[in-house]
Amino acid sequence: MIRILMLTMSLHQAFGTQVSETWAEYECPEMALQYDVVAGFGGNNKTQCEQLWSLNKRTFATYADGEVGCHEPCIMVQSGNIRLRTCVNVTLTILCSFEFLEESRIYFTGRVYQSPGAITLGLPHQEGTRNGYYGFLVAAVILLIVAILGFVWKALNSRRTSSTV
């Protein structure tokens, strides 16, 4: 579910254009193969407007009057929502020209979480815990090397004492 953050700003730019900015999150289950971002326009006329989806200030998907453009990481785009191949932070810019040009931006942040019932294989994904496992692994390898060297030293030493007798 999208959680619209209470941080909404209206900026007035040159030529009387009003820009409305909103920040929202969308959920990214850890093992998912695709991610849905839904703007949730409600009952307003934004479905009639040009919609541009961008990543790092580069437009990768568009929707305008039923015409669709969809490039990586986009899988599918419709009015007010998009399906992504990867969990990335994206911006939806909505351009409407009714009486005057109206511009809205929604900044979506993907929130990664482990879905309930998911089985994690291998090492845990928390960075601090992973480093602890690597430290344990390194200590075990060093201990193994010391044990092998001790065994070899004992074997060589027992040969020397038996050959001198």
Side-chain angles (χ1 to χ4, degrees):
M1 203 71 207
I2 296 176
R3 293 184 306 184
I4 303 287
L5 302 177
M6 300 314 286
L7 186 56
T8 302
M9 300 176 6
S10 289
L11 303 172
H12 295 282
Q13 294 182 333
F15 309 111
T17 303
Q18 180 177 338
V19 178
S20 170
E21 295 184 311
T22 307
W23 286 260
E25 288 184 341
Y26 71 98
E27 295 182 345
C28 298
E30 195 172 71
M31 304 300 279
L33 300 176
Q34 57 192 20
Y35 307 93
D36 292 323
V37 182
V38 181
F41 293 145
N44 59 26
N45 294 331
K46 298 217 188 270
T47 57
Q48 306 293 322
C49 303
E50 183 178 1
Q51 301 169 27
L52 308 168
W53 293 88
S54 60
L55 170 65
N56 299 326
K57 298 183 180 182
R58 183 185 68 82
T59 301
F60 65 90
T62 57
Y63 181 90
D65 296 324
E67 296 292 321
V68 186
C70 184
H71 305 283
E72 192 67 33
C74 173
I75 296 173
M76 183 248 352
V77 65
Q78 295 176 333
S79 178
N81 62 65
I82 192 167
R83 181 165 290 152
L84 301 171
R85 190 171 315 282
T86 57
C87 180
V88 291
N89 298 339
V90 295
T91 302
L92 170 59
T93 302
I94 306 160
L95 301 171
C96 301
S97 76
F98 298 119
E99 295 174 17
F100 58 90
L101 181 64
E102 179 185 321
E103 181 175 345
S104 301
R105 292 188 198 122
I106 305 174
Y107 301 96
F108 289 97
T109 303
R111 185 174 58 89
V112 179
Y113 70 96
Q114 185 173 354
S115 55
I119 299 172
T120 305
L121 302 175
L123 299 175
H125 292 286
Q126 294 91 5
E127 197 60 38
T129 308
R130 183 182 301 155
N131 288 340
Y133 279 108
Y134 287 141
F136 177 75
L137 182 63
V138 168
V141 168
I142 290 173
L143 187 62
L144 182 65
I145 291 172
V146 168
I148 291 171
L149 288 175
F151 179 74
V152 169
W153 181 78
K154 186 176 180 181
L156 289 174
N157 198 21
S158 67
R159 274 193 196 160
R160 285 185 191 155
T161 55
S162 65
S163 65
T164 56
V165 174

